[in-house]
Amino acid sequence: MNEADAKKQIENMKRFIEQEAKEKAEEILDQTNQELEAWKNEFKHNKRTYWKNYYLAEKKRREVAGKIAESKLKYSEDERVMKERQNIMNKLKQQAKESLASAITSKPSQYKTLLEDLIVEGLLKIMEAKVTVRATKKDQAVVKGLLKSAQKRFTDEMKKACTTYKTTFQMDTIVEMDSTPLKDSWYVFLV
């Protein structure tokens, strides 16, 4: 091989190596650009997801805060209504006590009828075989006198109700008087 062929061959090898280097450099540059684009897209996606979650959480927090405020407002309104209702009930209770106190002294026969009606109502509500009635100290004598008639009225009412539903009333109810007086009350209580 002569010197010109050797130079030519070296030149060809040089060009080949340069060509390979350029192709490799372009390949590395393309790969780097693709990785950069992938990283940018992932970064954008992560930031988008972060801010989306952040705003969703903020929206939810505000909704919850709004619901809490609404609930507090409703609760305070309900509490106000309940207090007002309680005040009205207390006034009605006081009026009933005063009315009952005046009825006791001015109309004793109506008061006696009221006591008997209350005893019968209590018997109908509790529906027990044995009932003990308690009354205030000053009403004990009156209530004791009403027990038999109240027991008879209860039995009659139950027989009437059972006849309506085609059954037989078979409960023997014993109504007794408890000698322990109730403390200052205008009502007869069934125990």
Side-chain angles (χ1 to χ4, degrees):
M1 203 184 271
N2 64 19
E3 201 173 305
D5 284 339
K7 274 188 178 182
K8 200 175 185 184
Q9 206 173 10
I10 290 175
E11 252 338 283
N12 282 341
M13 286 174 86
K14 212 171 152 182
R15 273 194 307 245
F16 177 76
I17 292 171
E18 283 177 356
Q19 184 64 32
E20 284 291 315
K22 281 183 184 176
E23 286 175 6
K24 192 67 172 168
E26 284 177 8
E27 188 181 308
I28 291 171
L29 186 61
D30 284 345
Q31 188 178 359
T32 305
N33 284 340
Q34 287 175 356
E35 287 176 3
L36 179 64
E37 278 302 311
W39 180 82
K40 281 181 184 177
N41 288 338
E42 185 180 345
F43 181 77
K44 286 178 187 176
H45 176 73
N46 288 344
K47 282 299 176 182
R48 235 183 254 127
T49 304
Y50 169 79
W51 287 110
K52 184 179 178 182
N53 290 339
Y54 174 80
Y55 284 115
L56 285 175
E58 184 65 19
K59 181 180 176 186
K60 188 154 190 103
R61 187 192 63 76
R62 287 184 183 200
E63 285 175 359
V64 168
K67 286 180 182 178
I68 289 171
E70 188 178 302
S71 177
K72 283 181 180 177
L73 182 65
K74 186 179 184 303
Y75 175 75
S76 67
E77 181 64 21
D78 288 349
E79 188 177 20
R80 186 192 64 76
V81 168
M82 286 172 35
K83 283 181 181 177
E84 187 64 31
R85 184 181 301 147
Q86 187 61 42
N87 289 340
I88 291 169
M89 292 299 291
N90 289 340
K91 287 177 186 175
L92 288 174
K93 189 175 178 182
Q94 187 59 36
Q95 288 173 355
K97 280 184 178 181
E98 291 168 2
S99 172
L100 190 55
S102 68
I104 290 171
T105 55
S106 64
K107 302 173 188 169
S109 64
Q110 286 182 343
Y111 179 63
K112 195 173 178 180
T113 305
L114 172 67
L115 287 176
E116 184 177 345
D117 289 346
L118 290 173
I119 294 169
V120 172
E121 181 181 346
L123 292 171
L124 289 169
K125 283 193 186 234
I126 62 173
M127 293 292 295
E128 292 291 329
K130 184 175 179 182
V131 178
T132 303
V133 179
R134 291 177 63 197
T136 59
K137 194 171 190 172
K138 66 179 183 177
D139 289 336
Q140 278 188 341
V142 176
V143 170
K144 195 169 189 172
L146 295 173
L147 290 181
K148 291 291 180 203
S149 63
Q151 184 176 353
K152 184 178 179 343
R153 275 184 56 199
F154 166 72
T155 306
D156 293 344
E157 287 290 328
M158 289 307 299
K159 284 180 181 176
K160 186 170 134 186
C162 288
T163 304
T164 304
Y165 295 106
K166 297 183 172 91
T167 58
T168 309
F169 180 66
Q170 299 175 350
M171 186 169 87
D172 292 329
T173 305
I174 301 168
V175 182
E176 301 173 338
M177 183 73 187
D178 185 349
S179 60
T180 310
L182 290 174
K183 294 183 180 161
D184 194 29
S185 174
W186 297 108
Y187 306 104
V188 175
F189 290 95
L190 299 172
V191 180

